[in-house]
Amino acid sequence: MRINRMPLALLCAFVTAGTGLVPARAETTATVEMLNRKGDERFVYSETLVRIEPGDKIRFAAADKGHNAVSVAGMLPTGADPISVPFNKDGEITLTRPGLYGIKCTPHVGLGMVALVVVGKPVDLDAAVDAASDLPSKAKSRMFELLSQL
Ligand SMILES: [Cu+2]
């Protein structure tokens, strides 16, 4: 019986997909993992420059424990809700306002754990540069490097 289960499951998957009742794929367009280590780097987001379009979703995944993802003060489009993904939780957020969303990990921003999400066009670049200037040294240089790539 065990041998027969796999083909049956596959057949069901095809039949179900054919009905259109199950989405072909998730709507999430970008995933950022919160990591203790990536290569030689410690305490980093898996992606530090993320480009999506207005209305797309971004997912912050708690791949390792002890990290969060919150908005950098002043690095948020006017009228947008601040991002606040709590420690050790996955968070999925739909971003509708175009512009720049600066992200930091509260306990590790001093070690440079920041990311930049660009939604559509980077319309508020000057304000974001000003706000990034207030970050701790390593985070500031990382954020400036990301902003310079726009
Ligand atoms: Cu962290």
Side-chain angles (χ1 to χ4, degrees):
M1 289 305 288
R2 182 167 291 230
I3 288 168
N4 287 332
R5 277 187 190 161
M6 179 67 97
L8 182 60
L10 281 174
L11 181 62
C12 288
F14 280 122
V15 170
T16 308
T19 63
L21 294 173
V22 177
R25 57 187 289 261
E27 291 173 10
T28 302
T29 53
T31 296
V32 175
E33 291 182 317
M34 302 184 267
L35 301 173
N36 290 343
R37 182 181 290 278
K38 182 184 179 185
D40 292 337
E41 290 185 279
R42 305 249 305 147
F43 308 122
V44 291
Y45 295 110
S46 61
E47 310 295 328
T48 51
L49 180 58
V50 179
R51 296 173 192 263
I52 59 175
E53 293 303 315
D56 285 350
K57 283 180 185 172
I58 185 164
R59 181 169 178 270
F60 290 91
D64 290 320
K65 290 193 171 171
H67 307 283
N68 67 355
V70 300
S71 286
V72 173
M75 294 191 75
L76 188 70
T78 305
D81 292 329
I83 289 170
S84 182
V85 177
F87 290 98
N88 310 327
K89 302 263 188 191
D90 292 348
E92 196 172 80
I93 304 150
T94 301
L95 299 177
T96 54
R97 305 248 177 191
L100 301 171
Y101 295 72
I103 308 293
K104 67 176 181 180
C105 172
T106 309
H108 302 127
V109 64
L111 300 173
M113 188 165 176
V114 291
L116 180 64
V117 182
V118 186
V119 178
K121 292 199 163 75
V123 289
D124 40 14
L125 185 54
D126 289 347
V129 169
D130 280 351
S133 304
D134 293 333
L135 286 166
S137 174
K138 192 169 180 185
K140 178 165 76 173
S141 60
R142 283 227 174 125
M143 193 61 88
F144 278 172
E145 184 189 318
L146 296 172
L147 290 165
S148 74
Q149 295 176 42
L150 302 180

